[in-house]
Amino acid sequence: MAEKLWGGRFREEMDESFRSFNSSFSFDRRLLRHDIEGSIAHCRALKEAGILSEEEHERIIEALSEIRREIERGDLELSDSYEDIHSFIEAALIDKVGALGEKLHTARSRNDQVALDLRLFLKEEIQETIERIKRLQKRIIELAKENMGLILPGYTHLQRAQPVLLSHHLHAYYEMLKRDRERFLYTLKVCNVLPLGSAALAGTPFPINRDLVARELRMDAISSNSMDAVSDRDFALDFLYSCAVLMMHLSRFSEELILWSTQEFGFVELPDSLSTGSSIMPQKKNPDIVELIRAKTGRVYGNLISLLTTMKALPLTYNKDMQEDKECVFDSLDTVKGCLEMMTILISKIRFKEDRLKEVSAEGYLLATDLADYLVYKGVTFRSAHEITGRIVLYAMDKGKELDELTLEEFLKFSRKIEDDIYDWLDIQKSIERKRLPGGTSMETVKRNLLEAEKEISS
Amino acid sequence: MAEKLWGGRFREEMDESFRSFNSSFSFDRRLLRHDIEGSIAHCRALKEAGILSEEEHERIIEALSEIRREIERGDLELSDSYEDIHSFIEAALIDKVGALGEKLHTARSRNDQVALDLRLFLKEEIQETIERIKRLQKRIIELAKENMGLILPGYTHLQRAQPVLLSHHLHAYYEMLKRDRERFLYTLKVCNVLPLGSAALAGTPFPINRDLVARELRMDAISSNSMDAVSDRDFALDFLYSCAVLMMHLSRFSEELILWSTQEFGFVELPDSLSTGSSIMPQKKNPDIVELIRAKTGRVYGNLISLLTTMKALPLTYNKDMQEDKECVFDSLDTVKGCLEMMTILISKIRFKEDRLKEVSAEGYLLATDLADYLVYKGVTFRSAHEITGRIVLYAMDKGKELDELTLEEFLKFSRKIEDDIYDWLDIQKSIERKRLPGGTSMETVKRNLLEAEKEISS
Amino acid sequence: MAEKLWGGRFREEMDESFRSFNSSFSFDRRLLRHDIEGSIAHCRALKEAGILSEEEHERIIEALSEIRREIERGDLELSDSYEDIHSFIEAALIDKVGALGEKLHTARSRNDQVALDLRLFLKEEIQETIERIKRLQKRIIELAKENMGLILPGYTHLQRAQPVLLSHHLHAYYEMLKRDRERFLYTLKVCNVLPLGSAALAGTPFPINRDLVARELRMDAISSNSMDAVSDRDFALDFLYSCAVLMMHLSRFSEELILWSTQEFGFVELPDSLSTGSSIMPQKKNPDIVELIRAKTGRVYGNLISLLTTMKALPLTYNKDMQEDKECVFDSLDTVKGCLEMMTILISKIRFKEDRLKEVSAEGYLLATDLADYLVYKGVTFRSAHEITGRIVLYAMDKGKELDELTLEEFLKFSRKIEDDIYDWLDIQKSIERKRLPGGTSMETVKRNLLEAEKEISS
Amino acid sequence: MAEKLWGGRFREEMDESFRSFNSSFSFDRRLLRHDIEGSIAHCRALKEAGILSEEEHERIIEALSEIRREIERGDLELSDSYEDIHSFIEAALIDKVGALGEKLHTARSRNDQVALDLRLFLKEEIQETIERIKRLQKRIIELAKENMGLILPGYTHLQRAQPVLLSHHLHAYYEMLKRDRERFLYTLKVCNVLPLGSAALAGTPFPINRDLVARELRMDAISSNSMDAVSDRDFALDFLYSCAVLMMHLSRFSEELILWSTQEFGFVELPDSLSTGSSIMPQKKNPDIVELIRAKTGRVYGNLISLLTTMKALPLTYNKDMQEDKECVFDSLDTVKGCLEMMTILISKIRFKEDRLKEVSAEGYLLATDLADYLVYKGVTFRSAHEITGRIVLYAMDKGKELDELTLEEFLKFSRKIEDDIYDWLDIQKSIERKRLPGGTSMETVKRNLLEAEKEISS
């Protein structure tokens, strides 16, 4: 098979090491199915335009489908000697149908073809990514439901702040992932535009029906400007960025799971089947899975910077630089899919340590804010209430007591407004229940949120 | 005025150098108007909840409005001794209304307050950014209309490829900016969610009507989870990313203007009033304006990486790290607004050099693709047509002729299919006109696109 | 005063908004002292070359010195109307000495001048940065000495692994900072090359003695290629990178201090004077200082990416893009200096909680590795020893015992090699002392390291 | 063979998808030779320490050497079921020597082992990278010598500025690469420190002679702190950064070659054998090779950001996150080596177009600075000389003349100082020769620089 799509104008053979440096076939072969899918749609359009006869059209489509099947079965060798996936498929086609195969590239350039392939690929993969996000969300909601009622300290600055329901805490991650899903949906829309018909950069003189091709490929729209269409990689950047934010969210979740599984926090037990040991310290059980997810945030950020850098200051239209758009996309995609799967598996198997959570929620002056709020209800201005409470906490710390262990007499030394009902405000369950506002941590609010979430992910 | 909002629990004074390291007032003062706007809405909600009386509510709102006016007039000193904008305004309020001012922070924390401020700020600034993008788009369309009919070489790999209309080329930038506008609109939607009512992290026991606050502040929705609401900075990241892609587009436009204004290309004359000279070489006229825009892409990328890095692996909920969200946002915003303005001014004054464009469009075998397409129309398969044309080009180069300078006899040596109508295909105007497909470079298509564009930006 | 250094070739006035967009004077004024220092050295060279008379030379130097003094005293207004620091100083000079001042720019361009200024600036500031690193190292060593003998768990994967001396742990940060110092020293050497004499890009016909200028400015070498000299910003990148790695190290130290000051770890008490409170939760004491240091890692990474992006693919020689080299350098410098100072102050005041450290070091099977090592000493292969110990740990966990609470009978169930001397190996102090290899955590090794460190930083 | 090095403490089997997510064997197998090399040195140390007998030591070393040979011959299957390279080799060893193989991990952990492997790997590869840089430098110097005497315009702001020797221009890249070499040499020194003996984090109780191991592995020093040694990745970052700056330099060279090979500049002809064609436009000859190098700058920047992000805020000591240090290092290494090779090949075959260079050097007022310098020699102050020359250029442009086409009468209208010797100053050869200062573009200076360069790279 011939291995490149050009050459009439050249006097010398291609340098061998350059050929291999230049070739994208080692990675763009991943676009094989999409390249064939696009070619089939293009072939239909050529028939409609009278460039291919009905019969030629059928022979080509049949051959392309066969190539796809052969590759899936491993019957066709993907030799590294090809310049790219497009050259490979055209050569395989010509092998099957002879000179007829040479007609397929009419009204098309690799510039619009490769843009199409990557868009089709991302279209499919973004949908898969969204499904995986949903699965993780579903598992989060299940975990939240299973642990309904469990209280743990909410933190700010990694200092214990106020008690919250574990289910409320978990639902926060549901919300982050919800924004991720929306961002990927936005990116999907951006991908869903047909560049084919732009040819090299200027459009084509052949009367291709671009709308028909778009419909055939289930794309929402056709590109409006041929020069933009072949030099635009916004859709790939949008994808890389969506991956970066998703990984940031997963890195936060991972960080918390790492903390929670330390001996010091001790909130959670990771399953043996998802932990690792040490080659030297026999007692160790390490949360590698979440450490790796946290770490891989770096590479997904790196991929985003990589393509942003590559695209900077490129003059119109297509430049070879854009060939570098694929590996970073593939790497972020694989990373994100792997991390989503791992996180889903992991949280299907973690177990919260109820006793420890109870213990820590009873300590640490978690209800100081409730005390301040109590004072406000009694007519103290918030700023004074805050000040008074601060002094009470200091006093209690000196005495080695928690707030609810102080006597009314002790309270009265700080404010005459405090009465016996203060102990009601220092009850952790009631504290939780008072946060009934939408978005608050009360049982009622959280249950409503979980219900809402279940509806969203089942749709 | 008192300078911080806490302290009851502390035994020692704050270290002076730490105070200044910790303070965000030097930059978050930029949120002043939005902080007051948020406080006014919060004040209304406190009144509705019965926490403030009608009269208290009015006194506070009046005082806040007065503070805003005083600052605008420069009557209130913004001393650096404050911890942040919130402390400053609360202190100013207490100065005016006494202890009553201490009530305003009821049912609110700086955690939800600062998230609100930045969202309100971005809401306003994104709208302004979109307006500036529109102005640039408008100017691009005008330029395209003024130069309608002018042909220049379209490039791939910075090698002359095929002739295109300059207006088509310019319209490609219109399209990029259109995607930018849509991305900013998406970000605007993301910003438009009310975090207030989340308090420190758990919600608040006070019966605030969050929907009412959202309506008052013209926001689309309220946050669903208090812990997420105070620890989420996705909206700021989305903004920084939108800025990064916009700058990437502007860097490409800048690169082309730099190239076009070289002596070698010579396509464009930059106005004296927007160029600079050299301190040593008297003949120089430098395109600093576009070099700076190209360069500033770096800082906008840097700001994105900055916040992504900062947010990585932060445990819930609020951490002081998030204070670092503002300067990068301000810097990218100012950069983007400045660059949009500069680019708009610049392209209002550039002049294309018609003679030079004509000259270069006539050279360089720009119509080789048309020759190949001609052969396809005559029944040659595309791959052969491409090969034959390659050989003709090589021949012509050897002879020092352009394609339309070859005789029919010379053509016939390469293919018997070539007839006299070939010269029609080697006419540059006709080449342009043949690209009549949607998105192509024909006069008709481009005019339709410009009309469409005008409609879009006037809406 | 005239405000720019060129113009003879221009027909139009500069656009006002462009003037302000283009001006670097709002930030490069920070190079004022260095610009004057460089000009004085250049002035000497002009005298040596016979271009200035002895008397002219003296008048100029005197005037430049006076300008410096006036600015330091605030007597000279730094009006924003100047294009840059060079224009400002030349104008001020001409104000003082008339037409004579117009001679100073002979044999010089702003291209080599600004490269010199930034190199001189960095030379000074890198030395200052190194001093600050040393101060922090010194304080770390003092802290290590003060707490000599204190044991805490060493962690891998944030799981307790083996006991180590706190002083050993602190010394690890000393080592990181030592590498930082060496990296900054390397960067200092890179900065220490004189670009002056390169003029705009090609060199100058005036017989300037460049070596003399270098000596005068205490620089190690002169640049070898004028085109490289004016387009090189490696020295600024090296600086930004050195800052990035330093911040990475500080972020790790910060992370540990944040963890150690949680209620859960409870290893350390931060001083009130360096902590902050909450505007809503009165009991909170937050480690803002180290959260901010951790966060600022992001902006310093961002600055590095910013300049790397800006420099990518710039053709030779000077391009206006390079004006963007300064703000990122200033920002990273200020950040790094601030963070070093804060960290130094903070660790001067933290207090380790001895009781808590003792408590946690006694738990958690920290000596499992010692048990395995014991078995090896008794002739078991390491892999088996590891396996056996793993099973003993599991057994002990089930029994709720620590390793040293197991009886010899219990041990014997797992290996017949275990004898009574096992309890010696399960003594934490002795475990520490057994790590006597260079780099190990024994008291003796650590003391030797601290001594060595003291010598290094006092040199 | 057993596939992991731990497990005694675990009750459940490892989850299969986690096993594959967790495994680094698919990429760390690249460290195979270095892992074996390190193990052999460790084995010697175990013998010296009396832990292995002379005979055991020999059997292990022989087996390890055999494993290496088998793998090189492809006789040993690298099954994906291993956790990492260390597990694989230990298992292979036990397969060969039985239980004896279980002794090798004594006094060692994978934490210090993997740090060693990567350092040994980089040591070797940095030397290879430096060799490739030298080859490119050598080729640059040859090219500079071959083209000695050729003049082209030097540019600032991509506007023609002053004439320079092409050899001088090329030598600027030599200088950049020289700094790169020095930066890699610095990194080499940083890598050259032995971590082995740090064990998991605390050191080891076994009396290993670390200095002996270091000597055996030809490393300069041993690490001073075991906790730092296992958690330090500065050496990998230094490598990634050195690659980033090198790529930045190559991207600049690439950009210039792209520009020079446009029809508009036309300075250079790329060889057919290193160019590509278009699948649609038969006349195209594209500089893909340098476009790809320019583009790959992005991925190398991305890799740097990736590891910087990963390392941010990791608590001591080893965390699984650090497993992510390898792929980015491998990718940057392969990219850099490939790009260096391609650039070397390319510039061995490019041809400068002498006629075109002569043509462009005669135009564009390149000698305006010389005219200004002339006036200074005649006693005009530089600032006035600059102003006068600016006006002369404007006049000449209006007349459509170059400077040397103006008559003396015309000159005299602008300055009475101008005499007949002006035409000497407007001679391009003489202009070049006047830049005799070190670093300037005169033939003499450049020749001296090339001679110096040849000495440097042959050393």
Coordinates of all heavy atoms in Angstrom, one line a residue, chain C residues 306-340:
Chain C
S306 N 3.7 31.9 33.0 CA 3.5 33.1 32.2 C 4.6 33.5 31.4 O 4.5 33.7 30.1 CB 3.2 34.2 33.3 OG 3.2 35.5 32.7
L307 N 5.8 33.5 31.9 CA 7.0 33.9 31.1 C 7.4 32.9 30.1 O 7.8 33.2 29.0 CB 8.1 34.4 32.0 CG 9.3 35.1 31.3 CD1 8.8 36.3 30.5 CD2 10.4 35.5 32.3
L308 N 7.3 31.6 30.5 CA 7.6 30.5 29.6 C 6.7 30.7 28.4 O 7.2 30.5 27.2 CB 7.4 29.1 30.2 CG 8.5 28.6 31.1 CD1 8.1 27.3 31.8 CD2 9.8 28.3 30.3
T309 N 5.5 30.9 28.6 CA 4.5 31.1 27.5 C 4.9 32.3 26.6 O 4.9 32.2 25.4 CB 3.1 31.2 28.0 OG1 2.8 30.1 28.9 CG2 2.1 31.3 26.9
T310 N 5.2 33.4 27.3 CA 5.5 34.6 26.6 C 6.7 34.4 25.7 O 6.8 34.9 24.6 CB 5.8 35.7 27.6 OG1 4.5 35.9 28.3 CG2 6.2 37.0 26.9
M311 N 7.7 33.7 26.2 CA 9.0 33.6 25.4 C 8.9 32.5 24.3 O 9.7 32.5 23.4 CB 10.1 33.1 26.4 CG 10.5 34.2 27.4 SD 11.0 35.8 26.6 CE 12.5 35.3 25.7
K312 N 7.9 31.7 24.4 CA 7.8 30.6 23.3 C 7.7 31.2 21.9 O 6.9 32.0 21.6 CB 6.5 29.8 23.6 CG 6.4 28.6 22.6 CD 4.9 28.2 22.4 CE 4.8 27.5 21.1 NZ 3.4 27.5 20.6
A313 N 8.6 30.6 21.1 CA 8.5 30.9 19.6 C 8.7 32.4 19.2 O 8.2 32.8 18.2 CB 7.2 30.3 19.1
L314 N 9.4 33.2 20.1 CA 9.7 34.5 19.7 C 10.9 34.5 18.7 O 11.9 34.0 19.1 CB 10.0 35.4 20.9 CG 8.8 35.8 21.8 CD1 9.3 36.8 22.8 CD2 7.7 36.4 21.0
P315 N 10.7 35.1 17.6 CA 11.9 35.2 16.7 C 12.9 36.2 17.3 O 12.5 37.0 18.1 CB 11.3 35.8 15.4 CG 10.1 36.4 15.8 CD 9.5 35.7 17.0
L316 N 14.1 36.1 16.9 CA 15.2 37.1 17.4 C 14.9 38.4 16.7 O 14.2 38.5 15.7 CB 16.6 36.6 17.0 CG 17.0 35.2 17.6 CD1 18.5 35.0 17.3 CD2 16.7 35.1 19.0
T317 N 15.3 39.5 17.3 CA 16.0 39.6 18.6 C 15.0 40.1 19.6 O 14.1 39.4 20.0 CB 17.2 40.5 18.6 OG1 16.8 41.8 18.2 CG2 18.2 39.9 17.6
Y318 N 15.1 41.3 20.1 CA 14.1 41.9 21.0 C 12.8 42.0 20.4 O 12.6 42.4 19.3 CB 14.6 43.3 21.5 CG 13.7 43.9 22.5 CD1 13.8 43.5 23.9 CD2 12.6 44.7 22.2 CE1 12.9 44.0 24.8 CE2 11.8 45.2 23.1 CZ 11.9 44.9 24.4 OH 11.0 45.4 25.4
N319 N 11.8 41.6 21.2 CA 10.4 41.8 20.8 C 9.7 42.5 22.0 O 10.1 42.2 23.1 CB 9.6 40.5 20.5 CG 10.3 39.8 19.3 OD1 10.0 40.2 18.1 ND2 11.1 38.8 19.6
K320 N 8.7 43.3 21.7 CA 8.1 44.0 22.8 C 7.5 43.1 23.8 O 7.3 43.4 25.0 CB 6.9 44.9 22.2 CG 6.2 45.8 23.3 CD 7.1 46.9 23.7 CE 6.3 47.9 24.5 NZ 7.1 49.2 24.7
D321 N 7.2 41.8 23.4 CA 6.6 40.8 24.3 C 7.5 40.8 25.6 O 6.9 40.5 26.7 CB 6.7 39.5 23.7 CG 6.0 39.4 22.3 OD1 6.5 40.1 21.4 OD2 5.0 38.7 22.2
M322 N 8.8 41.0 25.5 CA 9.7 40.8 26.6 C 9.4 41.8 27.7 O 9.9 41.6 28.9 CB 11.1 40.9 26.2 CG 11.4 39.7 25.3 SD 13.1 39.9 24.6 CE 13.0 38.5 23.4
Q323 N 8.7 42.9 27.4 CA 8.3 43.8 28.5 C 7.5 43.1 29.6 O 7.5 43.6 30.7 CB 7.5 45.0 27.9 CG 7.0 46.0 28.9 CD 6.5 47.2 28.2 OE1 7.2 47.9 27.4 NE2 5.3 47.6 28.5
E324 N 6.9 42.0 29.2 CA 6.1 41.3 30.2 C 7.0 40.4 31.1 O 6.4 39.6 31.9 CB 5.1 40.4 29.5 CG 3.9 41.1 28.8 CD 2.9 41.6 29.9 OE1 2.5 40.8 30.7 OE2 2.6 42.8 29.9
D325 N 8.3 40.6 31.1 CA 9.1 39.8 32.0 C 9.2 40.3 33.4 O 9.6 39.6 34.3 CB 10.6 39.7 31.4 CG 11.2 41.1 31.3 OD1 10.5 42.1 31.5 OD2 12.4 41.2 31.0
K326 N 8.8 41.6 33.6 CA 9.0 42.2 34.9 C 8.0 41.9 36.0 O 8.3 41.6 37.1 CB 9.2 43.7 34.7 CG 10.5 44.1 34.1 CD 10.6 45.5 33.7 CE 11.5 45.5 32.4 NZ 10.8 44.9 31.2
E327 N 6.7 42.1 35.6 CA 5.7 42.0 36.7 C 5.7 40.6 37.3 O 5.5 40.4 38.5 CB 4.3 42.4 36.1 CG 4.2 43.9 36.0 CD 3.0 44.3 35.1 OE1 3.1 44.0 33.9 OE2 2.0 44.8 35.7
C328 N 5.9 39.6 36.5 CA 5.9 38.2 37.1 C 7.1 38.0 38.0 O 7.0 37.4 39.0 CB 5.8 37.2 36.0 SG 7.0 37.3 34.6
V329 N 8.2 38.6 37.6 CA 9.4 38.5 38.4 C 9.2 39.3 39.7 O 9.5 38.7 40.8 CB 10.7 39.1 37.7 CG1 11.8 39.4 38.7 CG2 11.2 38.1 36.7
F330 N 8.6 40.5 39.7 CA 8.4 41.2 40.9 C 7.4 40.5 41.8 O 7.6 40.4 43.0 CB 7.8 42.6 40.6 CG 8.8 43.5 39.8 CD1 8.3 44.6 39.0 CD2 10.1 43.3 39.8 CE1 9.1 45.4 38.3 CE2 11.0 44.1 39.1 CZ 10.5 45.2 38.3
D331 N 6.4 39.9 41.2 CA 5.4 39.3 42.0 C 5.9 38.0 42.7 O 5.6 37.8 43.9 CB 4.2 38.9 41.1 CG 3.0 38.4 42.0 OD1 2.4 39.2 42.7 OD2 2.7 37.2 41.9
S332 N 6.7 37.2 42.0 CA 7.3 36.0 42.6 C 8.2 36.4 43.7 O 8.3 35.8 44.7 CB 7.9 35.1 41.5 OG 7.0 34.4 40.9
L333 N 9.0 37.4 43.4 CA 10.0 37.9 44.4 C 9.3 38.3 45.7 O 9.7 37.9 46.8 CB 10.8 39.0 43.8 CG 11.8 39.7 44.8 CD1 12.9 38.8 45.2 CD2 12.4 41.0 44.2
D334 N 8.3 39.2 45.5 CA 7.7 39.7 46.7 C 7.0 38.5 47.5 O 7.0 38.5 48.7 CB 6.6 40.7 46.3 CG 7.3 42.0 45.7 OD1 8.5 42.2 46.0 OD2 6.6 42.7 45.0
T335 N 6.4 37.6 46.7 CA 5.7 36.5 47.4 C 6.7 35.7 48.1 O 6.5 35.3 49.3 CB 5.0 35.7 46.3 OG1 4.1 36.5 45.6 CG2 4.2 34.5 46.9
V336 N 7.8 35.3 47.5 CA 8.8 34.5 48.1 C 9.4 35.1 49.3 O 9.5 34.5 50.4 CB 9.8 34.1 47.1 CG1 11.2 33.8 47.7 CG2 9.3 32.9 46.2
K337 N 9.7 36.4 49.2 CA 10.3 37.1 50.4 C 9.3 37.1 51.5 O 9.7 36.9 52.7 CB 10.8 38.5 50.0 CG 12.1 38.5 49.3 CD 12.4 39.8 48.5 CE 12.7 40.9 49.5 NZ 13.0 42.2 48.7
G338 N 8.1 37.5 51.2 CA 7.0 37.5 52.3 C 6.8 36.1 52.9 O 6.8 36.0 54.2
C339 N 6.8 35.1 52.1 CA 6.5 33.8 52.7 C 7.7 33.3 53.5 O 7.5 32.7 54.6 CB 6.2 32.8 51.6 SG 4.6 33.1 50.8
L340 N 8.9 33.6 53.1 CA 10.1 33.2 53.9 C 10.1 33.9 55.2 O 10.3 33.3 56.3 CB 11.4 33.5 53.1 CG 11.8 32.6 52.0 CD1 12.9 33.2 51.1 CD2 12.2 31.2 52.5

